[in-house]
Amino acid sequence: MTAPAWHAEPWSILRQRAERNALPHALLLAGPTGLGKREFLERFVRARLCQQPVDGEACGQCRACALLAAGSHPDRVAVTFAERADGKGLRSEIVVDQIRALGPRLAMASQFGGWQVASIDPADALNAAAANALLKTLEEPTPATLIVLVADAPWRLPATIRSRCQRVDFRLPSREEALAWLRAQGLADAAAALDAAGGNPGLALAFARDGALARRDEVARDLAALAQGRADAFALARSWADDAPVDRLWFAAALAADEARAQAQGARGPLGLAAADGDALGAWFAHANRTRELLRGPLRAELALLELLAAWR
């Protein structure tokens, strides 16, 4: 698959560093979900471990490439969510034992005589003990090893870890690039999906494919009805909590921001509200984003949503 246009700059930077033998011992791939950081990571790892690279890319034919494709290359280590001790699904964080095992593993000699590459994804899910253990590994790098952290929310990582990694940022592409990519994926109404996703092409594609655009319309109707006294905050909180609450909060925050921008320009916003206080809409936007973050933890969704929706009303 052809890499998206917005990967060209970060790829060029890392390729030039590799050609100069100037790669760091740790990288941080950072940026919003939906921009293909994981695909970029795999492309980069294949290029580093390939035995016969062609123009900086993996050849796809050598033994190393075959082992990578099979997930059994001995010099490739992937750290991600592990099984829970009770066998009931995956953990929601990366724990210290996983990171402690990484140091001795990377201290071993490369079986192919080249790089050893470890990835930690999502690095922003490291718990405090795991982050402290990783810091020790980063402070004492072993030769010919590379640790690549992938984070959608890099601010959750301790500053001490961020400072020991060379950061590669993935930013939202131009609207033209995003639309061209979405149309190449066969998406019919690419513009509407991109608008709903705040300009993020990966999210736009996911929204279009899983029916989330219809959910966005529901959120708009719910907020308009609540503002006009035609809906009950408690009933809406219960309904949102039962059906993709994080997605609904994404759309709610975006709609509030769009409404504020439209009203500031004297235009009709997507919610069709009467004139509102721009500062109040901005505060509610921030509240919605905080609530979305809270829902990633153990908090009861219904209670957090009720507080937010009561504030909207």
Side-chain angles (χ1 to χ4, degrees):
M1 181 183 292
T2 303
W6 57 89
H7 282 190
E9 182 179 357
W11 182 260
S12 176
I13 291 171
L14 292 184
R15 178 180 172 180
Q16 290 174 21
R17 289 176 183 171
E19 290 172 349
R20 299 196 311 267
N21 292 318
L23 284 172
H25 71 278
L27 287 169
L28 171 58
L29 308 185
T33 186
L35 298 185
K37 297 187 298 300
R38 276 98 192 160
E39 292 80 2
F40 184 97
L41 167 68
E42 293 309 314
R43 179 188 174 197
F44 178 69
V45 170
R46 289 196 300 269
R48 299 285 69 74
L49 297 180
C50 176
Q51 295 170 299
Q52 300 169 344
V54 179
D55 296 329
E57 301 277 1
C59 71
Q61 304 297 322
C62 67
R63 180 165 176 256
C65 285
L67 289 171
L68 282 166
S72 56
H73 196 295
D75 294 329
R76 168 77 165 103
V77 185
V79 178
T80 187
F81 295 127
E83 286 282 345
R84 288 165 52 101
D86 59 10
K88 297 180 179 178
L90 298 178
R91 294 179 182 271
S92 60
E93 58 184 11
I94 293 173
V95 299
V96 65
D97 288 346
Q98 294 177 268
I99 302 302
R100 284 177 177 161
L102 189 60
R105 172 66 181 75
L106 294 179
M108 298 167 61
S110 163
Q111 294 194 36
F112 273 65
W115 285 95
Q116 292 192 91
V117 183
S119 62
I120 302 175
D121 177 25
D124 42 10
L126 289 160
N127 66 21
N132 287 334
L134 178 60
L135 184 58
K136 294 178 182 178
T137 300
L138 294 176
E139 288 173 339
E140 301 172 1
T142 50
T145 62
L146 178 61
I147 300 175
V148 186
L149 283 65
V150 182
D152 299 333
W155 58 87
R156 293 187 186 135
L157 285 165
T160 48
I161 287 180
R162 296 198 306 269
S163 68
R164 284 165 174 78
C165 301
Q166 284 195 10
R167 181 163 166 161
V168 180
D169 282 302
F170 289 74
R171 298 181 176 86
L172 294 181
S174 69
R175 184 173 179 81
E176 293 73 23
E177 286 178 338
L179 288 173
W181 182 81
L182 287 168
R183 288 165 182 151
Q185 311 310 307
L187 193 60
D189 197 353
L194 189 63
D195 289 342
N200 186 314
L203 282 183
L205 186 62
F207 287 165
R209 286 180 172 172
D210 72 3
L213 295 182
R215 194 175 294 128
R216 177 182 183 271
D217 292 340
E218 291 176 10
V219 169
R221 289 194 296 270
D222 288 345
L223 291 178
L226 189 61
Q228 295 162 12
R230 296 185 289 106
D232 175 69
F234 182 74
L236 285 182
R238 220 170 17 185
S239 172
W240 286 21
D242 289 340
D243 181 20
V246 172
D247 279 1
R248 288 180 182 275
L249 285 174
W250 164 277
F251 293 134
L255 287 163
D258 291 346
E259 186 74 21
R261 279 192 292 269
Q263 292 203 10
Q265 297 166 4
R268 183 180 177 84
L271 300 174
L273 302 182
D277 181 346
D279 289 341
L281 283 170
W284 196 88
F285 167 84
H287 189 174
N289 284 325
R290 287 196 304 273
T291 303
R292 191 170 78 248
E293 288 297 310
L294 288 172
L295 293 192
R296 300 181 192 280
L299 188 71
R300 274 189 62 191
E302 191 173 312
L303 294 178
L305 288 167
L306 178 59
E307 180 183 357
L308 176 71
L309 292 171
W312 175 265
R313 183 182 59 189

